[in-house]
Amino acid sequence: MSPPTSFSKAKTSYPIFAATFAHNHPGCLVVGGGGGSGRSGVSNKITLFDVTSRAATLEPTAELELSRDEDSVTCLANLATKDGLVVYAGINSSEDDRLADKNEHFRSFLVEYPKKKKKDEEKGSDKNSEAKISFLSKTSLFKPVKSTIAKNEAYQRILRLSRPKRSASGSKRIGAIASSLAGEENEIVVFNATTSSPESPGDIIHRLPTHEGKEANDIDIAGPEDGEFKLAYCTDYSVIVSNIPYDFDRKKPRQELLLPRSEYSVPYPDVFESKGRFKIRCLRWLSPSHILLLANLPNRTGVELLILTLYGDTIGSITLRKRLPRHVKAAVDMDVCALDADENGAYQIVIAVAGIDISTTIFTMDYQGIVNNCLGRFHSYTTVHDVHAVQMTKLIFSPFFSPWTGPNGEKVQNPGPQYLRLASTSLGNTVVIDTFTLQRVSKKSRPRYVLSSSRTRALHLTATYFVTAFVLLIGLLLVQSLLDIKGPWSTAIVPESIRNAVGGLKPPGQVIEEIRSAQPDVVPEGVKVPVVKATHRLRDLLHLHHNNKHDEEVKRKTLVVRDDPDSDSSLSTEVHSDHEAVVEAHTEAKQWDELTQAEKSRWKEKLTSAGMWAVEEGETVLKGIFFSEAAGIVGQMAQAAMNG
């Protein structure tokens, strides 16, 4: 059995700034960089690697040296062709051309894969078997800048294409580029990415001035439906989203494009806090309504991953946070890979973060599908230290499609082992490829693949044994109650302490009916039971039970948030008639001001994970609410067994 992770390394003659995996050949990696213009001894190059081999050392299969009078390669992306790739690149023209408003920064190159030898070809003939990289075109998509300083310094920093699909319209993609160091003239250009050279005016879909003239730090494009795209970009303190419906046949937007909308702004710290605002470094779409943000905390004090949930009519909010390990003081890059989905649209997301300490931290997360439209929690997979000798510059996953379907839609009977590759590059002229073995999730109609650690598999096995033992215990209890077993040996089947514990528990329906009869005035209009799953935000619940403009004498009801740590279920809420009713029913419940700092931090994380509260709302909304941690059935049984 092959190991779950393998490691390969390659060396170039230049510092690497950009990388892209081929979508029609995930083992094909293209990297680019160089010493820039006027730096003798360091060339500007584009290099092709075949990383399907899991050998420790990899050699380039093709390389193209570029002009030393021009800048180095800053960004890369690619389109699939029949026998290779069209590679887009960001490369500034020479300084003289830039000052003359002739900065042809958008380049395209043709990558040809090695051709297979024919059977009748003579032995030793390698004439047409080598890979090749050749120049195709260059053009300018940005508007000429006016400032002399910007003309000399501005460049194409970001290049992003929408993700391809294995469908009839999978090659219909759009792209976006963003400028840098152009001052207030920074812009984003959205273009038609179905041609090797988007030079005609009809290929320009949209021009967006950046939010408040700030430089875009990252861009990502999602395509939830054919011809429907969602573009998101971030500045240091904002996330902006734009919907782009595009007709590829007519080469026109399907409707008038609306102005981009700011979905999130980094909040300012409280007055008495000395720390500043965190900065958004990267973003990636995880689903049509979830965006992953990579944030560097002030003064290199740490890194956080944040889930921004979009609501459509109202602005988005942060619903989940994950703090990276303490050794990661800041992050330089991030990438995600959505693995193949099942028939319900559920899939796993793999997340990689490149730290400034030259480490790579990897997480996994589950998306439940369009019907549920929710994300699970972050799960730590592994951390790799000292990936390179010097600072990393780029981190990118290979694309992954369902191996049960071929590139042309044909069915594959036995796809064999599946792998996910992660490439990282550095200023030290190195490329590192980590290859992870994926595991098949057993499904009858359509198996899918996930990245699962040995720890996760061990926990799953332990949980399976526990559930089996629990079901067996319940079965013995039922058998004993049905047969009414008597005698001194009957307690050997199920200990008396456990039987008493289970016997004291009441069915959920009976508990609800008792609460209804005891507190008929507690149930508000439109709410069937006083204990509900916490799918509503706290602010909405407080508004429902505290507002009464027509009757000022009505007492304000009291809200209790409960959590059952044994069942690992969602939070739930209870509504009581007044403060005294809560104290009588929940002796362990505490108000927000009564909690310790550790308890407050823990509750904030639980509320954020459940989508009930966001950090931007502040702690004011939490004051006056009671918080309770009630023991579940497992805890009661364990306690009873100990006492017995």
Side-chain angles (χ1 to χ4, degrees):
M1 180 177 178
S2 59
T5 306
S6 63
F7 169 87
S8 302
K9 190 173 184 179
K11 185 80 172 178
T12 63
S13 60
Y14 57 90
I16 306 170
F17 301 111
T20 179
F21 271 104
H23 289 276
N24 60 345
H25 190 321
C28 176
L29 175 68
V30 182
V31 302
S37 60
R39 298 183 183 181
S40 59
V42 182
S43 301
N44 302 315
K45 294 182 179 181
I46 294 177
T47 307
L48 173 67
F49 289 95
D50 184 355
V51 299
T52 52
S53 170
R54 300 170 73 177
T57 303
L58 302 174
E59 297 295 335
T61 56
E63 193 167 69
L64 177 65
E65 184 167 354
L66 309 173
S67 172
R68 295 192 182 185
D69 293 331
E70 299 181 327
D71 274 348
S72 61
V73 180
T74 58
C75 50
L76 292 170
N78 72 85
L79 304 175
T81 65
K82 182 179 179 181
D83 300 315
L85 301 172
V86 170
V87 175
Y88 293 149
I91 305 173
N92 260 7
S93 297
S94 65
E95 182 177 353
D96 292 340
D97 289 340
R98 296 198 300 270
L99 293 176
D101 291 333
K102 295 180 180 179
N103 185 12
E104 296 174 306
H105 56 85
F106 191 91
R107 312 291 175 94
S108 61
F109 300 86
L110 178 63
V111 174
E112 298 176 79
Y113 294 148
K115 297 180 180 179
K116 296 182 179 179
K117 296 181 182 180
K118 297 180 181 179
K119 292 183 179 180
D120 57 351
E121 192 174 356
E122 295 182 4
K123 292 183 179 181
S125 176
D126 296 331
K127 187 175 181 180
N128 295 319
S129 63
E130 295 182 355
K132 296 180 181 179
I133 305 176
S134 56
F135 172 78
L136 283 180
S137 65
K138 57 182 179 179
T139 187
S140 178
L141 299 184
F142 292 134
K143 291 181 178 179
V145 294
K146 299 177 181 179
S147 169
T148 303
I149 297 177
K151 287 181 180 180
N152 191 35
E153 300 293 336
Y155 69 101
Q156 179 183 315
R157 177 186 176 185
I158 303 172
L159 169 59
R160 186 82 62 201
L161 302 184
S162 60
R163 299 164 191 172
K165 303 175 182 178
R166 283 193 170 175
S167 62
S169 60
S171 61
K172 294 183 177 180
R173 305 163 66 188
I174 67 171
I177 57 174
S179 60
S180 180
L181 300 181
E184 296 181 356
E185 299 178 77
N186 280 314
E187 65 174 332
I188 295 173
V189 178
V190 185
F191 61 92
N192 177 5
T194 60
T195 174
S196 61
S197 181
E199 296 178 326
S200 65
D203 291 327
I204 304 300
I205 300 174
H206 203 19
R207 291 184 180 273
L208 301 172
T210 56
H211 183 66
E212 298 179 348
K214 304 297 183 181
E215 183 175 312
N217 291 338
D218 199 8
I219 297 176
D220 199 23
I221 305 172
E225 298 179 9
D226 291 345
E228 298 289 336
F229 300 96
K230 297 167 73 72
L231 181 144
Y233 74 91
C234 62
T235 62
D236 283 348
Y237 303 113
S238 300
V239 176
I240 297 89
V241 175
S242 179
N243 294 321
I244 304 176
Y246 187 70
D247 189 329
F248 287 92
D249 295 329
R250 298 173 55 218
K251 288 190 174 183
K252 290 183 179 180
R254 294 181 177 178
Q255 60 191 47
E256 183 180 356
L257 298 179
L258 302 177
L259 293 175
R261 172 175 167 171
S262 178
E263 289 285 356
Y264 177 71
S265 295
V266 178
Y268 287 93
D270 293 339
V271 177
F272 299 103
E273 294 185 10
S274 58
K275 63 181 181 180
R277 304 163 76 188
F278 63 78
K279 293 184 178 180
I280 306 171
R281 174 78 181 194
C282 304
L283 59 72
R284 290 290 185 275
W285 286 99
L286 301 185
S287 80
S289 56
H290 298 93
I291 301 177
L292 175 67
L293 307 180
L294 175 68
N296 283 328
L297 303 182
N299 303 318
R300 294 194 175 185
T301 55
V303 178
E304 279 191 341
L305 293 172
L306 306 96
I307 298 297
L308 173 62
T309 301
L310 308 182
Y311 300 106
D313 295 336
T314 59
I315 63 172
S317 64
I318 301 300
T319 55
L320 190 63
R321 292 175 178 266
K322 177 66 176 180
R323 184 74 174 263
L324 267 67
R326 292 184 178 180
H327 63 82
V328 186
K329 303 299 182 183
V332 297
D333 200 17
M334 175 186 71
D335 197 27
V336 305
C337 179
L339 301 182
D340 58 324
D342 62 15
E343 63 274 10
N344 298 319
Y347 53 84
Q348 187 189 60
I349 302 162
V350 187
I351 304 163
V353 178
I356 202 169
D357 62 334
I358 321 179
S359 69
T360 302
T361 308
I362 299 176
F363 301 92
T364 62
M365 173 176 278
D366 294 314
Y367 178 64
Q368 304 301 326
I370 297 297
V371 176
N372 296 323
N373 194 28
C374 64
L375 292 169
R377 299 191 178 192
F378 292 98
H379 299 282
S380 297
Y381 178 78
T382 189
T383 298
V384 183
H385 298 275
D386 301 322
V387 183
H388 297 266
V390 297
Q391 185 62 61
M392 287 191 285
T393 55
K394 187 67 178 177
L395 199 65
I396 185 169
F397 277 113
S398 62
F400 188 82
F401 300 98
S402 173
W404 301 95
T405 305
N408 300 320
E410 68 277 11
K411 292 184 178 181
V412 179
Q413 297 299 326
N414 186 15
Q418 297 298 308
Y419 305 98
L420 178 66
R421 296 177 178 88
L422 175 65
S424 59
T425 63
S426 78
L427 293 172
N429 308 358
T430 51
V431 182
V432 171
I433 310 295
D434 291 301
T435 303
F436 305 96
T437 303
L438 300 177
Q439 288 77 40
R440 183 188 302 181
V441 177
S442 178
K443 292 287 184 180
K444 291 183 179 180
S445 58
R446 184 177 178 180
R448 65 183 180 97
Y449 287 81
V450 297
L451 182 64
S452 176
S453 65
S454 58
R455 179 186 177 188
T456 302
R457 292 193 293 270
L459 290 175
H460 177 73
L461 187 62
T462 303
T464 302
Y465 288 150
F466 178 80
V467 171
T468 303
F470 184 76
V471 171
L472 179 61
L473 174 62
I474 297 299
L476 291 174
L477 287 170
L478 292 174
V479 170
Q480 180 166 320
S481 62
L482 290 173
L483 299 179
D484 193 20
I485 298 175
K486 303 293 184 181
W489 57 272
S490 63
T491 56
I493 299 178
V494 181
E496 183 179 0
S497 57
I498 296 181
R499 288 188 287 111
N500 291 338
V502 176
L505 296 175
K506 300 176 182 179
Q510 182 179 346
V511 173
I512 292 175
E513 290 301 325
E514 290 183 2
I515 295 177
R516 285 179 178 174
S517 60
Q519 295 179 329
D521 61 323
V522 171
V523 184
E525 182 181 359
V527 180
K528 296 182 179 180
V529 294
V531 181
V532 296
K533 187 177 180 181
T535 56
H536 299 287
R537 300 179 65 80
L538 288 177
R539 189 179 295 276
D540 298 333
L541 290 170
L542 292 173
H543 176 77
L544 175 65
H545 299 298
H546 286 188
N547 271 351
N548 196 318
K549 299 179 181 179
H550 304 290
D551 190 356
E552 296 182 356
E553 295 182 358
V554 175
K555 291 184 179 181
R556 299 177 62 174
K557 298 179 176 63
T558 303
L559 186 66
V560 180
V561 180
R562 297 180 56 192
D563 176 44
D564 187 346
D566 290 329
S567 65
D568 193 26
S569 60
S570 301
L571 300 179
S572 62
T573 58
E574 287 186 19
V575 181
H576 290 262
S577 57
D578 52 30
H579 181 281
E580 290 74 15
V582 175
V583 174
E584 181 178 352
H586 299 281
T587 57
E588 79 289 346
K590 298 180 182 178
Q591 287 186 288
W592 182 255
D593 292 336
E594 297 173 342
L595 299 175
T596 64
Q597 289 299 324
E599 290 173 330
K600 288 182 178 180
S601 299
R602 182 156 48 86
W603 273 108
K604 285 181 180 179
E605 182 178 354
K606 291 177 182 293
L607 294 170
T608 304
S609 300
M612 297 181 65
W613 176 82
V615 177
E616 309 84 72
E617 298 181 57
E619 294 187 10
T620 303
V621 70
L622 304 177
K623 295 182 178 180
I625 299 176
F626 282 84
F627 296 87
S628 171
E629 292 184 348
I633 181 172
V634 177
Q636 292 183 40
M637 291 177 60
Q639 183 65 33
M642 292 175 63
N643 295 335

Short mmCIF file of all heavy atoms in Angstrom, two decimals, residues 9 16 94 100 105 111 130 139 166 182 255 261 271 281 361 390 399 402 446 482 526 558 562 627-628 638:
data_model
loop_
_atom_site.label_atom_id
_atom_site.label_comp_id
_atom_site.label_asym_id
_atom_site.label_seq_id
_atom_site.Cartn_x
_atom_site.Cartn_y
_atom_site.Cartn_z
N LYS A 9 10.84 17.26 -5.44
CA LYS A 9 11.44 18.59 -5.47
C LYS A 9 12.11 18.84 -6.81
O LYS A 9 12.66 17.92 -7.42
CB LYS A 9 12.46 18.74 -4.33
CG LYS A 9 12.97 20.16 -4.12
CD LYS A 9 13.83 20.24 -2.87
CE LYS A 9 14.27 21.67 -2.59
NZ LYS A 9 15.09 21.76 -1.35
N ILE A 16 11.00 31.91 -8.46
CA ILE A 16 9.69 31.61 -9.05
C ILE A 16 8.61 32.44 -8.35
O ILE A 16 8.56 32.51 -7.13
CB ILE A 16 9.38 30.11 -8.91
CG1 ILE A 16 10.52 29.29 -9.51
CG2 ILE A 16 8.06 29.77 -9.59
CD1 ILE A 16 10.41 27.81 -9.20
N SER A 94 9.27 46.57 -21.44
CA SER A 94 10.46 47.29 -20.99
C SER A 94 10.08 48.66 -20.44
O SER A 94 8.98 49.18 -20.69
CB SER A 94 11.44 47.46 -22.14
OG SER A 94 10.89 48.28 -23.16
N ALA A 100 6.14 55.03 -22.71
CA ALA A 100 5.51 55.45 -23.96
C ALA A 100 4.09 54.89 -24.09
O ALA A 100 3.52 54.89 -25.19
CB ALA A 100 6.36 55.00 -25.14
N HIS A 105 1.31 43.99 -21.28
CA HIS A 105 1.53 43.18 -20.09
C HIS A 105 0.88 41.81 -20.15
O HIS A 105 1.24 40.91 -19.42
CB HIS A 105 0.98 43.93 -18.87
CG HIS A 105 -0.46 44.29 -19.02
ND1 HIS A 105 -1.48 43.43 -18.70
CD2 HIS A 105 -1.05 45.43 -19.49
CE1 HIS A 105 -2.64 44.02 -18.96
NE2 HIS A 105 -2.40 45.23 -19.44
N VAL A 111 1.90 25.69 -25.05
CA VAL A 111 2.63 24.55 -24.50
C VAL A 111 2.15 23.30 -25.23
O VAL A 111 0.96 22.99 -25.24
CB VAL A 111 2.40 24.40 -22.99
CG1 VAL A 111 3.04 23.12 -22.47
CG2 VAL A 111 2.95 25.60 -22.24
N GLU A 130 9.49 15.59 -27.81
CA GLU A 130 9.76 16.50 -26.71
C GLU A 130 8.66 17.55 -26.57
O GLU A 130 8.04 17.96 -27.55
CB GLU A 130 11.11 17.19 -26.92
CG GLU A 130 12.31 16.24 -26.88
CD GLU A 130 13.61 16.98 -27.06
OE1 GLU A 130 13.56 18.21 -27.30
OE2 GLU A 130 14.67 16.35 -26.96
N THR A 139 -0.51 41.75 -25.59
CA THR A 139 -1.42 42.87 -25.75
C THR A 139 -1.55 43.60 -24.42
O THR A 139 -1.03 43.15 -23.39
CB THR A 139 -2.81 42.39 -26.22
OG1 THR A 139 -3.62 43.51 -26.52
CG2 THR A 139 -3.49 41.56 -25.14
N ARG A 166 -16.26 19.56 -16.55
CA ARG A 166 -16.30 18.46 -17.50
C ARG A 166 -17.71 18.33 -18.04
O ARG A 166 -18.49 17.48 -17.63
CB ARG A 166 -15.82 17.17 -16.86
CG ARG A 166 -14.32 17.12 -16.71
CD ARG A 166 -13.82 15.74 -16.36
NE ARG A 166 -12.37 15.68 -16.46
CZ ARG A 166 -11.64 14.63 -16.12
NH1 ARG A 166 -12.22 13.55 -15.63
NH2 ARG A 166 -10.33 14.64 -16.27
N ALA A 182 -0.58 51.08 -9.21
CA ALA A 182 -1.08 52.11 -10.12
C ALA A 182 -1.79 53.23 -9.37
O ALA A 182 -2.47 54.05 -9.99
CB ALA A 182 -2.03 51.48 -11.14
N GLN A 255 -27.35 40.78 -19.45
CA GLN A 255 -28.12 41.92 -18.95
C GLN A 255 -27.15 42.99 -18.49
O GLN A 255 -25.94 42.78 -18.46
CB GLN A 255 -29.02 41.48 -17.79
CG GLN A 255 -28.25 40.93 -16.59
CD GLN A 255 -29.16 40.28 -15.58
OE1 GLN A 255 -30.02 39.49 -15.94
NE2 GLN A 255 -28.96 40.60 -14.32
N ARG A 261 -20.83 44.99 -5.21
CA ARG A 261 -21.40 45.24 -3.88
C ARG A 261 -20.40 44.84 -2.81
O ARG A 261 -19.81 43.75 -2.87
CB ARG A 261 -22.67 44.43 -3.72
CG ARG A 261 -23.25 44.43 -2.32
CD ARG A 261 -24.57 43.72 -2.32
NE ARG A 261 -25.05 43.43 -0.98
CZ ARG A 261 -26.25 42.96 -0.70
NH1 ARG A 261 -27.09 42.74 -1.68
NH2 ARG A 261 -26.60 42.72 0.54
N VAL A 271 -12.68 50.55 21.44
CA VAL A 271 -11.94 51.76 21.80
C VAL A 271 -10.77 51.44 22.72
O VAL A 271 -9.68 52.01 22.60
CB VAL A 271 -12.89 52.77 22.48
CG1 VAL A 271 -12.11 54.01 22.93
CG2 VAL A 271 -14.01 53.17 21.52
N ARG A 281 -5.71 38.77 3.16
CA ARG A 281 -4.64 38.46 2.21
C ARG A 281 -5.17 37.75 0.96
O ARG A 281 -4.79 38.08 -0.16
CB ARG A 281 -3.60 37.57 2.90
CG ARG A 281 -2.50 37.06 2.00
CD ARG A 281 -1.47 38.10 1.71
NE ARG A 281 -0.42 37.60 0.82
CZ ARG A 281 0.72 38.21 0.61
NH1 ARG A 281 0.99 39.33 1.25
NH2 ARG A 281 1.62 37.70 -0.21
N THR A 361 0.18 24.53 6.13
CA THR A 361 -0.85 23.98 7.01
C THR A 361 -2.05 23.59 6.15
O THR A 361 -2.52 24.40 5.34
CB THR A 361 -1.27 24.99 8.08
OG1 THR A 361 -0.11 25.48 8.75
CG2 THR A 361 -2.21 24.36 9.08
N VAL A 390 14.02 29.12 1.76
CA VAL A 390 13.72 30.55 1.91
C VAL A 390 12.24 30.77 1.65
O VAL A 390 11.48 29.83 1.41
CB VAL A 390 14.57 31.42 0.96
CG1 VAL A 390 16.04 31.30 1.28
CG2 VAL A 390 14.33 31.02 -0.49
N PRO A 399 -6.02 20.46 -10.08
CA PRO A 399 -7.48 20.31 -10.15
C PRO A 399 -7.88 18.85 -9.97
O PRO A 399 -7.09 17.95 -10.25
CB PRO A 399 -7.82 20.82 -11.55
CG PRO A 399 -6.56 20.58 -12.32
CD PRO A 399 -5.43 20.81 -11.37
N SER A 402 -14.13 14.09 -10.99
CA SER A 402 -14.57 12.73 -10.69
C SER A 402 -13.88 11.75 -11.64
O SER A 402 -14.01 11.87 -12.87
CB SER A 402 -16.09 12.61 -10.84
OG SER A 402 -16.49 11.26 -10.71
N ARG A 446 -22.79 6.77 -6.87
CA ARG A 446 -21.65 7.55 -7.33
C ARG A 446 -20.64 7.74 -6.20
O ARG A 446 -20.79 8.65 -5.39
CB ARG A 446 -22.12 8.91 -7.85
CG ARG A 446 -20.99 9.74 -8.45
CD ARG A 446 -21.51 11.04 -9.01
NE ARG A 446 -20.44 11.85 -9.55
CZ ARG A 446 -20.59 13.04 -10.11
NH1 ARG A 446 -21.80 13.54 -10.22
NH2 ARG A 446 -19.57 13.71 -10.58
N LEU A 482 -39.31 -6.10 27.73
CA LEU A 482 -40.38 -6.85 27.07
C LEU A 482 -40.61 -8.20 27.74
O LEU A 482 -41.74 -8.66 27.90
CB LEU A 482 -40.04 -7.05 25.59
CG LEU A 482 -40.10 -5.80 24.71
CD1 LEU A 482 -39.59 -6.11 23.31
CD2 LEU A 482 -41.52 -5.24 24.66
N GLY A 526 -46.43 31.59 16.47
CA GLY A 526 -45.61 31.14 15.35
C GLY A 526 -44.53 30.18 15.74
O GLY A 526 -43.85 29.63 14.88
N THR A 558 -37.32 35.94 28.58
CA THR A 558 -35.90 35.68 28.79
C THR A 558 -35.45 34.53 27.90
O THR A 558 -36.12 33.50 27.84
CB THR A 558 -35.61 35.36 30.26
OG1 THR A 558 -36.07 36.44 31.06
CG2 THR A 558 -34.12 35.16 30.48
N ARG A 562 -28.75 26.83 24.99
CA ARG A 562 -28.28 25.58 25.59
C ARG A 562 -27.33 24.87 24.64
O ARG A 562 -27.44 24.97 23.42
CB ARG A 562 -29.46 24.66 25.90
CG ARG A 562 -30.44 25.22 26.92
CD ARG A 562 -31.58 24.23 27.16
NE ARG A 562 -31.05 22.94 27.58
CZ ARG A 562 -31.80 21.83 27.62
NH1 ARG A 562 -33.07 21.87 27.26
NH2 ARG A 562 -31.27 20.69 28.01
N PHE A 627 -26.83 31.33 29.44
CA PHE A 627 -26.11 30.28 28.72
C PHE A 627 -26.01 29.06 29.62
O PHE A 627 -25.61 29.16 30.78
CB PHE A 627 -24.72 30.76 28.31
CG PHE A 627 -24.75 31.91 27.35
CD1 PHE A 627 -24.82 33.23 27.80
CD2 PHE A 627 -24.73 31.68 25.99
CE1 PHE A 627 -24.86 34.28 26.92
CE2 PHE A 627 -24.77 32.73 25.09
CZ PHE A 627 -24.84 34.04 25.55
N SER A 628 -26.37 27.90 29.04
CA SER A 628 -26.43 26.68 29.84
C SER A 628 -25.79 25.53 29.08
O SER A 628 -26.03 25.36 27.88
CB SER A 628 -27.89 26.33 30.16
OG SER A 628 -27.98 25.04 30.75
N ALA A 638 -23.02 7.66 31.94
CA ALA A 638 -21.67 7.49 32.47
C ALA A 638 -21.62 7.83 33.95
O ALA A 638 -20.99 7.13 34.76
CB ALA A 638 -20.69 8.37 31.68
#
